[in-house]
Amino acid sequence: MKTIHTNQNLEEMYNHPDVALAIGFFDGLHLGHMSVINKMKTIADSKHLAKAVMTFDPHPSVVLNPEKKRTDYLTPLDEKKRILEAQGIDYLFVVAFTSRFAQMEEEDFIKDYLTNNHVKEVIAGFDFTYGKFGKGNMLKLEADKQGFNVTVVEKQELNSEKIATTQIRNALVDGNIIEANTQLGRPYKISGLVVQGEKRGRTIGFPTANVAPDESYVLPKLGVYAVTLRRTGSDQVLKGVCNIGYKPTFHDPAVSAVSIEVHIFDFAESIYGERVEVFWHEFIRPEQKFNGIDALIAQISQDKLTAEQLLADISLD
């Protein structure tokens, strides 16, 4: 997949064949987003066009609504790239959402980013908007199109509710991993680097991999989870129990940073410095402070047993 970042010289991004283009912010690449992507792929194959996606960075709220700006994501840009590449996308256009871009007139967006960009088919969700003040919508795009066809993908629902990034974010913050995963169509994932931690876990019989996210992900509710972990470059799925939080038994949450620590079952290798993916499957309990080491060990033992039972039928191979 070739990634093309836009800049002031837009002609630099025009060096590619004719494309079918799915367009949207696509944070999460959830089931609703995938309906747009899959529709684009079907059209591209039928018309012998390259498969392309256009997304924006950062989230438009950073420019349009600073008081409620979104700076953490279900799929930060690099994560989005990995997922789209696995989907067989040929070109990813990353449009810098700046104040200048936000002021662009609708007809200029159509000309510069679609018509001149060799786009022959545009596929987007029913609620996609563009141009200054977001006045352009899919009906207007159909009316004003220049050299391309327009396909609108209608609202995608699950249990009579719209599948939406906001719903998934809220579910994660509430610890409702099952709901979030259902709307995503896959387990929520956080990628990161295994870094040196305090190594306290190994002294109490539960060594952990301390995972530092490499991008600004939405973090699930603090607590204990049944998770799986995959090392970069490996197809092997490792099962484990994860604590995300401040470790209040040992630290003051007011001055500590959130950590993600995974105890991997039946695993003794050192993986410091390796990049891993943590898949979140089910919430077990909130984080809590214990009166002593013995109480903590007893609870971790129970958490491990619970996670093993929850993950018994899980496989990502």
Side-chain angles (χ1 to χ4, degrees):
M1 182 179 76
K2 182 176 181 179
T3 299
I4 300 172
H5 291 264
T6 66
N7 52 42
Q8 291 185 350
N9 186 3
L10 291 175
E11 292 184 1
E12 291 183 3
M13 77 175 185
Y14 297 157
N15 186 24
H16 58 80
D18 292 347
V19 301
L21 180 73
I23 185 168
F25 190 77
F26 297 131
D27 185 25
L29 286 168
H30 54 57
L31 290 176
H33 296 149
M34 291 311 301
S35 66
V36 176
I37 303 291
N38 290 332
K39 185 66 174 179
M40 176 275 292
K41 291 166 67 176
T42 298
I43 292 174
D45 287 339
S46 69
K47 301 201 173 182
H48 307 291
L49 298 168
K51 302 176 180 70
V53 172
M54 180 175 288
T55 190
F56 305 90
D57 184 61
H59 190 272
S61 64
V62 172
V63 173
L64 302 177
N65 191 0
E67 292 184 0
K68 296 183 179 180
K69 61 181 178 291
R70 185 186 300 178
T71 56
D72 57 0
Y73 304 104
L74 302 175
T75 48
L77 186 56
D78 285 344
E79 189 68 55
K80 195 181 296 185
K81 290 178 183 178
R82 286 188 285 268
I83 295 173
L84 291 172
E85 185 162 23
Q87 287 291 318
I89 303 304
D90 299 307
Y91 295 94
L92 174 63
F93 300 104
V94 181
V95 177
F97 201 99
T98 62
S99 297
R100 180 177 177 179
F101 178 79
Q103 294 298 311
M104 179 173 285
E105 297 296 338
E106 300 147 57
E107 58 269 22
D108 290 333
F109 174 78
I110 291 173
K111 175 174 64 73
D112 292 341
Y113 289 87
L114 302 178
T115 304
N116 291 347
N117 198 25
H118 308 295
V119 175
K120 300 303 177 184
E121 301 283 340
V122 174
I123 302 91
F126 71 101
D127 54 355
F128 175 71
T129 60
Y130 60 94
K132 189 174 181 180
F133 304 123
K135 291 189 296 184
N137 56 35
M138 294 305 287
L139 286 174
K140 198 163 192 319
L141 186 61
E142 173 66 36
D144 296 342
K145 63 187 180 184
Q146 302 172 17
F148 53 83
N149 297 315
V150 175
T151 299
V152 180
V153 177
E154 296 303 325
K155 178 173 63 175
Q156 303 297 303
E157 294 184 338
L158 195 64
N159 300 323
S160 301
E161 292 189 5
K162 178 189 173 185
I163 299 171
T165 297
T166 300
Q167 299 272 67
I168 298 170
R169 290 172 63 93
N170 292 340
L172 289 171
V173 171
D174 291 340
N176 195 341
I177 296 297
I178 293 177
E179 178 183 337
N181 290 348
T182 299
Q183 292 202 40
L184 284 168
R186 65 185 186 278
Y188 184 58
K189 178 176 72 172
I190 291 179
S191 300
L193 194 68
V194 179
V195 299
Q196 296 276 0
E198 297 172 343
K199 301 182 180 179
R200 184 178 286 108
R202 68 177 59 184
T203 68
I204 60 175
F206 295 98
T208 60
N210 191 336
V211 181
D214 48 20
E215 295 186 271
S216 296
Y217 289 87
V218 176
L219 297 180
K221 177 181 178 179
L222 303 187
V224 178
Y225 293 82
V227 301
T228 51
L229 180 145
R230 186 159 52 202
R231 299 155 75 177
T232 295
S234 171
D235 292 329
Q236 181 185 18
V237 175
L238 304 170
K239 298 179 180 181
V241 60
C242 174
N243 184 86
I244 176 171
Y246 298 102
K247 296 176 287 186
T249 302
F250 304 102
H251 300 287
D252 180 357
V255 296
S256 299
V258 171
S259 64
I260 298 173
E261 298 192 5
V262 181
H263 171 65
I264 306 170
F265 305 151
D266 305 315
F267 186 79
E269 295 181 42
S270 173
I271 56 174
Y272 289 127
E274 292 193 28
R275 195 171 178 281
V276 299
E277 300 168 320
V278 179
F279 299 86
W280 305 76
H281 294 280
E282 199 154 343
F283 179 75
I284 295 176
R285 65 171 176 84
E287 186 176 47
Q288 64 187 98
K289 181 177 181 178
F290 294 92
N291 292 327
I293 296 295
D294 291 342
L296 174 62
I297 292 174
Q299 184 61 61
I300 295 176
S301 299
Q302 182 58 53
D303 294 338
K304 179 180 178 181
L305 179 61
T306 301
E308 287 174 333
Q309 294 170 341
L310 292 171
L311 297 170
D313 298 323
I314 293 290
S315 175
L316 296 179
D317 290 325

